[in-house]
Amino acid sequence: MTAPHGFSISRYAPERGTLAKLAARDSVVRRLDWPILLSALALSLLGALLVWSATRGRTELNNGDPYYFLFRHLLNTGIGVALMIGTIWLGHRTLRGAVPVLYGLSIVLILAVLTPLGATINGAHAWIVVGGGFSLQPSEFVKITIILVMAMLLAAKVDAGDQIHPDHRTVAKALTLAALPMGIVMLMPDLGSVMVMAVIVLGVLLASGASNRWVLGLIGAGVGGAVLVTALGMLDEYQINRFAAFANPDLDPAGVGYNTNQARIAIGSGGLLGSGLFKGSQTTGQFVPEQQTDFVFTVAGEELGFVGAGLILLLLGVVLWRACRIARETTELYGTVVAAGIIAWFAFQSFENIGMTLGIMPVAGLPLPFVSYGGSSMFAVWVAIGLLQSIRVQRPMTA
């Protein structure tokens, strides 16, 4: 067929195809949840400033380069954002088919930690050193794997229209698959990560519509498991000391209670507006250990005061609020369960991290999502944001 003036219609087909692809990309961009994206980005950039303040004078850590941790944190954020984009491009539905492969890879990685490839950092044998100053903490990615594998199983028959709620057999399979990596992580031992995973499992079960008997049974099993782990002596001495210091804040303030005491002093000294960025006496004096990672919130409390610390809470609240909307508005149980698992993860880990700096939670060695320094944690939380955005968009981006 020939168009007027002798031009072939087929000549314009590639152009129309290109325009269609551009329109599809534009549609995806417009349908993204921008509040959650901008809030997560603001947390990461604010975290870069706090990490910089905590490390610029730590020559024993930065090898004489005051910008070392700042650049690394920004690099981790950039890689995390790239992983988010890749996750949106693939789509959560495409990843649903790759869950068995991801699950197997996660098991291999956490098992590798128990071999000579594993390394001990800050008392936890939970890392794999990959060279060049980089290390990998596989348990961070196991959190995502547990969410995806449980969601795949629990939602399969419901989304297919065969069931209204997951049956008991399906729930048992999902819990078994979640228990395997959790048991391996416990052997490291990485109690903090196991606590987060347990909350994730609970959140996933609640969102899936599984029988309340499973939820109550899981809570009972968690309490019994904690007692058993303590009775069998599976916890390291430093972990037992952390719980002892939490139960009795006045216990050995110069020893096991030192971290939390210094953290409370730092936050309490900030007042309403703080002492100013780079001007905190506790931070510049290096009184708070691990201030760029687990105790980064103390930098905000001391140097930015109640207003700066409140801003972090507000941004985290926006992330959780928008994630709840995504979970509620999705049209498939699979998306709802994935979003619920991420909500449980972010909510509990944020509460635990901030709570331990305030003395209302035991020290568990968990980073503050998006804010703390650490590549594995940063990559994992941005992949989670990519999953939430994919659920929001409801379809993968086209190439």
Side-chain angles (χ1 to χ4, degrees):
M1 180 177 178
T2 303
H5 309 291
F7 290 105
S8 171
I9 291 179
S10 62
R11 176 181 175 181
Y12 297 96
E15 183 178 351
R16 289 200 304 271
T18 301
L19 291 174
K21 290 181 179 180
L22 291 174
R25 289 193 180 98
D26 180 65
S27 176
V28 168
V29 170
R30 284 188 288 107
R31 289 158 61 189
L32 290 175
D33 192 303
W34 285 99
I36 198 173
L37 177 58
L38 294 177
S39 296
L41 187 60
L43 284 167
S44 294
L45 296 179
L46 180 57
L49 290 176
L50 299 178
V51 167
W52 185 22
S53 178
T55 59
R56 64 194 186 96
R58 301 289 298 271
T59 55
E60 77 280 8
L61 295 178
N62 60 31
N63 298 317
D65 180 4
Y67 301 100
Y68 176 81
F69 282 93
L70 172 64
F71 289 151
R72 292 281 287 259
H73 187 93
L74 292 174
L75 175 62
N76 291 337
T77 300
I79 296 174
V81 172
L83 290 172
M84 177 200 69
I85 294 172
T87 303
I88 299 172
W89 180 78
L90 287 172
H92 67 290
R93 291 172 181 164
T94 300
L95 289 173
R96 185 176 189 170
V99 167
V101 175
L102 296 175
Y103 181 82
L105 180 61
S106 296
I107 296 297
V108 170
L109 286 175
I110 54 178
L111 283 175
V113 174
L114 302 178
T115 70
L117 295 174
T120 301
I121 299 178
N122 297 331
H125 191 78
W127 304 79
I128 299 175
V129 178
V130 295
F134 289 92
S135 56
L136 181 71
Q137 188 176 11
S139 58
E140 290 293 335
F141 303 100
V142 171
K143 298 169 186 175
I144 299 175
T145 303
I146 288 177
I147 292 171
L148 291 177
V149 73
M150 291 191 69
M152 179 191 71
L153 287 173
L154 295 172
K157 293 182 179 180
V158 176
D159 285 338
D162 298 331
Q163 295 177 349
I164 300 177
H165 303 296
D167 56 35
H168 294 306
R169 185 175 182 181
T170 301
V171 174
K173 288 181 179 179
L175 290 177
T176 301
L177 288 177
L180 176 59
M182 289 174 64
I184 298 174
V185 172
M186 191 65 209
L187 293 176
M188 294 178 181
D190 186 357
L191 181 59
S193 293
V194 173
M195 290 167 58
V196 176
M197 292 172 193
V199 173
I200 287 173
V201 171
L202 183 60
V204 165
L205 282 183
L206 288 170
S208 70
S211 172
N212 289 335
R213 285 180 291 178
W214 284 104
V215 176
L216 295 174
L218 183 63
I219 294 174
V223 173
V227 173
L228 183 63
V229 165
T230 304
L232 295 177
M234 295 180 65
L235 297 180
D236 284 349
E237 184 178 358
Y238 79 93
Q239 293 173 319
I240 297 174
N241 289 338
R242 285 176 173 178
F243 282 101
F246 168 68
N248 181 9
D250 297 325
L251 176 66
D252 193 10
V256 296
Y258 178 80
N259 286 24
T260 53
N261 284 333
Q262 294 300 320
R264 288 195 294 270
I265 292 172
I267 294 174
S269 65
L272 179 63
L273 299 177
S275 57
L277 195 63
F278 310 132
K279 297 179 181 179
S281 59
Q282 290 291 109
T283 300
T284 56
Q286 304 174 14
F287 290 104
V288 184
E290 307 304 329
Q291 207 169 13
Q292 75 276 15
T293 52
D294 299 346
F295 286 87
V296 71
F297 189 75
T298 63
V299 186
E302 180 182 27
E303 299 188 344
L304 304 181
F306 178 81
V307 173
L311 177 61
I312 292 178
L313 293 175
L314 176 63
L315 291 171
L316 287 169
V318 172
V319 171
L320 293 173
W321 163 54
R322 300 302 298 185
C324 287
R325 286 199 60 175
I326 291 171
R328 186 177 68 248
E329 294 175 356
T330 185
T331 57
E332 56 187 6
L333 181 62
Y334 176 70
T336 298
V337 172
V338 171
I342 294 171
I343 293 166
W345 166 14
F346 284 4
F348 177 77
Q349 189 160 317
S350 299
F351 178 76
E352 164 60 32
N353 177 277
I354 295 173
M356 72 183 187
T357 65
L358 298 174
I360 61 174
M361 291 292 287
V363 176
L366 292 172
L368 184 58
F370 304 102
V371 183
S372 293
Y373 176 79
S376 299
S377 173
M378 187 69 77
F379 302 158
V381 294
W382 276 105
V383 168
I385 293 295
L387 288 170
L388 290 172
Q389 294 287 11
S390 176
I391 296 168
R392 161 87 174 183
V393 170
Q394 288 293 309
R395 64 177 182 178
M397 289 178 64
T398 55

